[in-house]
């Protein structure tokens, strides 16, 4: 399974990589997959909270759209606070 949250729009996508490795069928709107969507959304919320990304990313347990681009990547070695890269370089371990 692959879950994508498009932060600029708030759109979600869900793909079953076993059945659809080319990611041609978005299952996010399929009511039969609502449990999977909820599970993966919750995992992303939990990950962002562990990383301490702040309220620009998650508020009250919900993923938030960010209409302004944010210079953050999970592979960029800096801590994140409310969508701003802190000056101090740190490694984020999960």
């Amino acid at each position: 399974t692959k879950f994508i949250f498009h932060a600029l729009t708030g759109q979600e996508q869900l793909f079953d990589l076993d059945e659809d490795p080319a990611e041609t069928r978005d299952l996010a709107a399929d009511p039969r997959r609502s449990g999977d969507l909820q599970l993966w959304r919750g995992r992303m919320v939990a990950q962002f909270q562990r990383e301490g990304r702040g309220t620009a990313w998650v508020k009250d347990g919900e993923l938030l759209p960010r209409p302004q681009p944010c210079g953050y990547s999970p592979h960029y070695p800096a801590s994140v606070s409310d969508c701003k890269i802190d000056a101090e370089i740190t490694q984020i371990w999960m």
Side-chain angles (χ1 to χ4, degrees):
T1 302
K2 180 176 181 178
F3 171 74
I4 301 168
F5 176 71
H6 297 275
L8 291 177
T9 64
Q11 178 190 5
E12 296 174 314
Q13 291 183 288
L14 185 72
F15 298 98
D16 182 333
L17 298 179
D18 291 329
E19 297 292 323
D20 178 25
E23 300 175 22
T24 61
R25 293 183 304 275
D26 183 2
L27 302 172
D30 184 338
R32 296 170 297 176
R33 300 303 293 264
S34 63
D36 292 331
L37 185 64
Q38 184 177 4
L39 171 71
W40 285 96
R41 183 187 303 125
R43 287 177 174 175
M44 184 173 277
V45 165
Q47 178 65 36
F48 286 1
Q49 289 173 329
R50 276 193 305 275
E51 292 175 358
R53 291 196 189 192
T55 56
W57 298 75
V58 175
K59 185 173 181 181
D60 299 325
E62 297 289 327
L63 295 168
L64 298 178
R66 293 182 312 280
Q68 297 297 319
C70 178
Y72 175 78
S73 165
H75 302 293
Y76 186 80
S79 61
V80 175
S81 174
D82 290 334
C83 202
K84 296 181 182 83
I85 303 300
D86 292 339
E88 180 181 339
I89 302 298
T90 59
Q91 182 69 36
I92 299 173
W93 294 99
M94 296 176 241

